[in-house]
Amino acid sequence: MNVRTPDPNPGWLSEEDLYEARQRLPMLYVEAIPVRLDPLGYVNEVGLLYTADAAGHFSRTFVSGRVMYRETVRAALVRHMEKDLGPLAMPQLPLSPVPFTVAEYFPSPSETGLTDERQHAVALAYVIPVRGECSPRQDALELTWLTPSEALSPSIRDEFAGGRANILRQALAHAGWCE
């Protein structure tokens, strides 16, 4: 399943070079789970993107994308939040660039439970509060705001590809939400 975000500025590698690099190197990504907070700072909504791939398979995902050469993690987060949620999302980046987890994706099943058939990827994962209006990226069908309970329900968990439901569970636990 392809959950790739189209990038109008693909950066420093051509499609052919990117394919070759993916066969030889782990790729660095950032992943961000957008949330809305209540007045006390507790997560009351989680924003999940609903996408379809070229084969017509539907899935849930969150903001994700590569860190480009000479780009800071913070700059990559801002770029992908704007690209995936629109320029009016108003994300509140964390003071520290320390992620809540480091996710390791492999092209075939592994001990991490996370897969990406294109490559070996390492993703720094963040919970990012947003305050503004969000409009989903061009290839997303919609952005759905769900309560944490709804987002972790079996029916929604089953819609994630590559083990990403586990990342969502970790994100909500990191934010202090538990069932």
Side-chain angles (χ1 to χ4, degrees):
M1 169 172 273
N2 185 353
V3 292
R4 180 174 175 218
T5 302
D7 193 344
N9 178 15
W12 49 281
L13 293 174
S14 69
E15 287 297 319
E16 296 80 25
D17 291 340
L18 180 59
Y19 175 81
E20 290 298 321
R22 284 180 168 153
Q23 304 310 304
R24 294 179 174 83
L25 304 167
M27 303 301 289
L28 180 61
Y29 281 74
V30 290
E31 293 184 317
I33 292 136
V35 297
R36 296 215 188 263
L37 304 177
D38 71 10
L40 295 176
Y42 294 107
V43 172
N44 61 9
E45 291 183 310
V46 179
L48 300 177
L49 295 167
Y50 193 58
T51 63
D53 66 13
H57 298 105
F58 297 95
S59 66
R60 298 276 176 188
T61 193
F62 25 81
V63 173
S64 179
R66 282 186 296 133
V67 177
M68 294 173 52
Y69 180 69
R70 298 190 56 81
E71 182 178 43
T72 66
V73 168
R74 293 178 70 77
L77 280 168
V78 168
R79 180 169 57 86
H80 290 294
M81 292 292 287
E82 183 174 303
K83 183 176 60 170
D84 288 359
L85 301 180
L88 302 176
M90 296 176 53
Q92 299 173 315
L93 294 185
L95 295 174
S96 168
V98 175
F100 71 83
T101 195
V102 176
E104 296 177 277
Y105 294 90
F106 291 92
S108 57
S110 73
E111 59 275 3
T112 70
L114 301 171
T115 58
D116 182 336
E117 75 278 352
R118 302 169 298 162
Q119 64 195 339
H120 175 189
V122 176
L124 308 176
Y126 299 86
V127 175
I128 306 287
V130 295
R131 296 174 293 157
E133 292 298 317
C134 298
S135 54
R137 64 186 187 207
Q138 295 173 359
D139 66 332
L141 301 173
E142 68 181 27
L143 171 67
T144 308
W145 291 98
L146 302 169
T147 67
S149 294
E150 292 168 337
L152 293 176
S153 70
S155 62
I156 298 295
R157 279 196 326 247
D158 290 345
E159 294 178 2
F160 281 94
R164 285 173 178 81
N166 291 332
I167 301 295
L168 178 61
R169 183 184 48 74
Q170 289 176 338
L172 290 172
H174 174 76
W177 192 89
C178 57
E179 296 182 284

